[in-house]
Amino acid sequence: MQLHSVPTQPFNDQKPGTSGLRKKVRVFQQPHYLQNFVQSIFDTLEIPPNATLTVGGDGRYFNREAIQIIIKMAAANGFSKVMVGQHGILSTPAASHIIRKYHTFGGIILSASHNPAGPEEDFGIKYNTANGGPAPEKITEAIFARSKQIDRYSLADLPDVDLSRLGKTVLEGFEVEVMDAVADYADLMQTMFDFPAIKHWLANGHRMVFDAMHAVTGPYAQEIFVRRLGAPADSLMHCEVSETFGGGHPDPNLTYADALVNVAYGAQAPDLAAASDGDGDRNMILGQHFFVTPSDSLALIAAHAKRIPAYAQGLAGVARSMPTSGAVDRVATALGIPCYETPTGWKFFGNLMDAGKVTLCGEESFGTGSDHVREKDGLWAVLCWLNLLAATGESVESLVRSHWQQYGRNVYSRHDYEAVPTAQAQAVIAHLQAQFDRLPGQTIGRYTIATVDDFSYTDPVDGSVSRGQGLRILFRCGSRIVVRLSGTGTEGATIRVYLEAYTEDPALQQMDAQDALAELIAVAHQLTQLPTLTGRQQPTVIT
Ligand code: G16
């Protein structure tokens, strides 16, 4: 095999964020840009003989070109085999499953998640390790350090592989296997959930609607919901995968999944309405005229886990990211199992799951998952809900309301201010942090501040410390305001303000979250001066 060593120069902006490197497609299309990053990944790994790399992406614009480059670079960097999804497509949880099931050395996942796709939109790349999970910080930091020094990359002189044809191709001793990951993933789901009960539920007067938002889960939804569970074909919306995600913004929330929201809040709403994002790891759950916050969804799945065959023996523990509401903590206390609080980013759950400390994890950012893979998993979450609805015979709303009655309600909302000029966003953070010394003990309206801090996490498994993970204002009554900058945006900065108030008061439990949180929202504005410092009077997205 003929190898080329191509001279290059470092780019100074290849620092992975919350979930890999995300940039505009145009940035990735610059000569050597993608290659530099891929070589920086390979240079930080000790690739053993006969190693296999899993490669796949969410199918967005530039996915196929990037995969051909990665295959040639993998061949030149010592991998003996690449397993790639048909057409270059793998959902993120399916990629995690493939890495684990076939014991591949690791994987490269190409996705900018829920961000729009197209020539002027976003692209992303991340490395997952042999456990199937996103590389931990020590690896992403090493990749970044390497990217600042790189001066060459290696490429094998191989023809492009036909990604549409299933099967193995051997190229001068190097093998590429194009695989159908849908069946593998659907088989795994079938081992975990009570498919006969769900099938029966669907066949007996209940309806579901699933919106793939023109993104990667379309074929998986077709296989699982329609073919294996017998849902009528019109239960699926936007399940034709397109390189531009149909020109939409495949973020399953109340703003961007408006077509599904209209169905769930319309006449003849289905019993369950659900959506997943660009790469299939996020989920949104709606009942009839009823939205389930991701934090509540995690708590509910934890509370009812024993009804799901995969968790019939109980849970080892649960984990949530710091900004996620404390609803699941209350369930963990009731179940007598540990609950861990980690920084934002699925990569922080990996060690806990590998060590057998947690079974379920979740984040407020529409992510829920379990130790069946090492990524959050959108379709898995939908199946959890289908399984719970089938097992209890209750509606989504009644399940959530009974949960609030039993555990109290963590009224919760996140306000996002997107594409804020970076300097303005940093000014908001600096303004809040500058007051830290004098905030404890202050009372604003009915809220008295107990403590403030910048969240720091020590991994209980390997002792690694992650600082600067979000500013927290903790009130005596148990309410919280958290402010942090997103690590996944590609344009300016996104300020996230997380608001949480706990109540056992049945009247407050009935209220709309924005109304119940109105005073806390005003306190957040006062403390951060966000409207004045950014000129933004309203969030871009409220979830
Ligand atoms: C990624 C991470 C999640 C994180 C989310 C939001 O999700 O995998 O762990 O919660 O971003 O992060 P941030 O608040 O920094 O934007 P995804 O679905 O975009 O890969």
Side-chain angles (χ1 to χ4, degrees):
M1 183 184 309
Q2 199 178 348
L3 305 184
H4 299 287
S5 183
V6 183
T8 186
Q9 286 187 335
F11 293 88
N12 60 9
D13 64 346
Q14 298 198 322
K15 185 175 171 52
T18 309
S19 185
L21 185 68
R22 292 189 188 163
K23 301 278 177 196
K24 292 286 171 204
V25 166
R26 297 274 180 233
V27 174
F28 273 104
Q29 284 174 325
Q30 296 173 82
H32 311 307
Y33 192 91
L34 173 73
Q35 290 86 339
N36 272 20
F37 191 73
V38 173
Q39 188 67 52
S40 301
I41 295 174
F42 291 156
D43 286 351
T44 59
L45 306 174
E46 281 180 34
I47 302 165
N50 301 319
T52 299
L53 183 72
T54 301
V55 182
D58 58 17
R60 68 177 56 227
Y61 184 85
F62 194 55
N63 191 50
R64 280 173 300 163
E65 292 87 328
I67 287 178
Q68 298 293 354
I69 292 169
I70 293 167
I71 290 174
K72 294 180 178 72
M73 291 186 67
N77 279 276
F79 284 96
S80 58
K81 179 173 176 180
V82 165
M83 293 179 84
V84 57
Q86 192 178 22
H87 307 294
I89 299 178
L90 287 178
S91 78
T92 292
S96 183
H97 177 52
I98 296 298
I99 295 171
R100 295 169 67 76
K101 178 169 179 184
Y102 297 102
H103 305 289
T104 74
F105 179 70
I108 290 184
I109 301 181
L110 303 167
S111 169
S113 186
H114 51 286
N115 295 3
E120 303 304 328
E121 301 294 353
D122 294 355
F123 192 73
I125 174 167
K126 69 173 179 175
Y127 180 68
N128 280 31
T129 54
N131 73 347
E137 272 187 337
K138 64 174 187 299
I139 295 183
T140 56
E141 279 161 13
I143 294 170
F144 180 47
R146 180 67 196 140
S147 77
K148 290 188 286 190
Q149 291 167 348
I150 193 163
D151 59 6
R152 48 105 227 142
Y153 57 85
S154 306
L155 205 63
D157 196 3
L158 296 174
D160 279 359
V161 174
D162 181 355
L163 297 175
S164 64
R165 226 187 52 230
L166 291 172
K168 297 177 181 173
T169 311
V170 180
L171 306 155
E172 300 180 48
F174 173 75
E175 185 180 313
V176 179
E177 180 176 353
V178 179
M179 58 186 312
D180 170 14
V182 173
D184 271 313
Y185 177 82
D187 289 348
L188 174 67
M189 294 299 114
Q190 199 155 357
T191 63
M192 299 181 68
F193 296 98
D194 190 346
F195 270 37
I198 299 173
K199 217 173 165 172
H200 184 260
W201 183 82
L202 283 167
N204 284 279
H206 296 104
R207 279 194 314 125
M208 68 169 294
V209 172
F210 175 77
D211 186 350
M213 303 190 84
H214 287 299
V216 74
T217 51
Y220 296 82
Q222 190 76 41
E223 173 67 20
I224 294 171
F225 299 130
V226 176
R227 223 181 66 75
R228 300 199 186 191
L229 290 171
D234 65 2
S235 309
L236 303 185
M237 288 170 73
H238 307 137
C239 278
E240 314 72 37
V241 185
S242 98
E243 271 199 343
T244 56
F245 299 145
H249 192 146
D251 197 354
N253 61 35
L254 294 173
T255 302
Y256 294 123
D258 51 345
L260 181 75
V261 172
N262 289 340
V263 170
Y265 284 83
Q268 279 143 29
D271 299 281
L272 179 73
S276 192
D277 71 331
D279 61 328
D281 56 1
R282 297 186 174 205
N283 74 90
M284 177 169 68
I285 301 292
L286 298 157
Q288 289 169 329
H289 300 219
F290 192 82
F291 167 65
V292 186
T293 68
S295 299
D296 279 343
S297 176
L298 172 65
L300 235 115
I301 293 170
H304 293 273
K306 281 194 171 171
R307 297 180 194 271
I308 298 172
Y311 312 108
Q313 305 308 316
L315 306 173
V318 291
R320 64 166 171 86
S321 66
M322 177 274 284
T324 303
S325 98
V328 75
D329 304 36
R330 294 172 191 282
V331 176
T333 305
L335 294 175
I337 57 172
C339 176
Y340 296 85
E341 184 178 36
T342 63
T344 294
W346 206 262
K347 59 191 170 206
F348 293 102
F349 295 136
N351 273 354
L352 298 172
M353 290 194 266
D354 286 351
K357 289 179 180 295
V358 304
T359 312
L360 291 186
C361 306
E363 293 189 279
E364 48 63 41
S365 53
F366 294 83
T368 339
S370 90
D371 60 359
H372 65 289
V373 287
R374 292 293 182 275
E375 290 278 3
K376 54 189 187 269
D377 190 344
L379 290 170
W380 168 91
V382 180
L383 285 164
C384 282
W385 275 89
L386 281 171
N387 204 144
L388 297 188
L389 296 176
T392 59
E394 288 195 45
S395 72
V396 170
E397 178 170 355
S398 72
L399 276 175
V400 176
R401 291 204 184 278
S402 326
H403 187 90
W404 291 343
Q405 249 170 25
Q406 186 176 349
Y407 295 94
R409 177 181 177 193
N410 290 70
V411 187
Y412 188 82
S413 184
R414 184 178 101 185
H415 288 196
D416 291 340
Y417 299 82
E418 294 178 349
V420 174
T422 306
Q424 287 180 11
Q426 282 164 351
V428 170
I429 299 291
H431 179 79
L432 182 57
Q433 215 158 9
Q435 305 163 67
F436 264 21
D437 285 349
R438 52 195 159 80
L439 286 181
Q442 266 193 40
T443 300
I444 309 171
R446 63 188 161 102
Y447 292 101
T448 301
I449 299 169
T451 55
V452 292
D453 68 5
D454 191 352
F455 182 66
S456 166
Y457 175 68
T458 303
D459 186 303
V461 179
D462 66 14
S464 57
V465 179
S466 305
R467 298 194 171 80
Q469 299 294 327
L471 305 185
R472 298 195 297 180
I473 302 157
L474 307 173
F475 298 93
R476 283 201 190 141
C477 57
S479 299
R480 300 193 300 167
I481 295 171
V482 176
V483 184
R484 60 179 283 279
L485 300 184
S486 155
T488 54
T490 57
E491 218 178 318
T494 295
I495 307 173
R496 302 209 195 281
V497 180
Y498 310 82
L499 305 136
E500 176 178 0
Y502 175 71
T503 180
E504 286 173 357
D505 177 350
L508 277 176
Q509 288 184 10
Q510 301 303 320
M511 275 175 85
D512 173 74
Q514 302 309 313
D515 296 336
L517 293 168
E519 193 177 337
L520 202 58
I521 294 167
V523 173
H525 287 179
Q526 184 180 330
L527 290 174
T528 58
Q529 289 296 304
L530 191 152
T532 316
L533 291 170
T534 64
R536 301 288 184 91
Q537 302 308 319
Q538 294 297 329
T540 323
V541 177
I542 294 180
T543 49

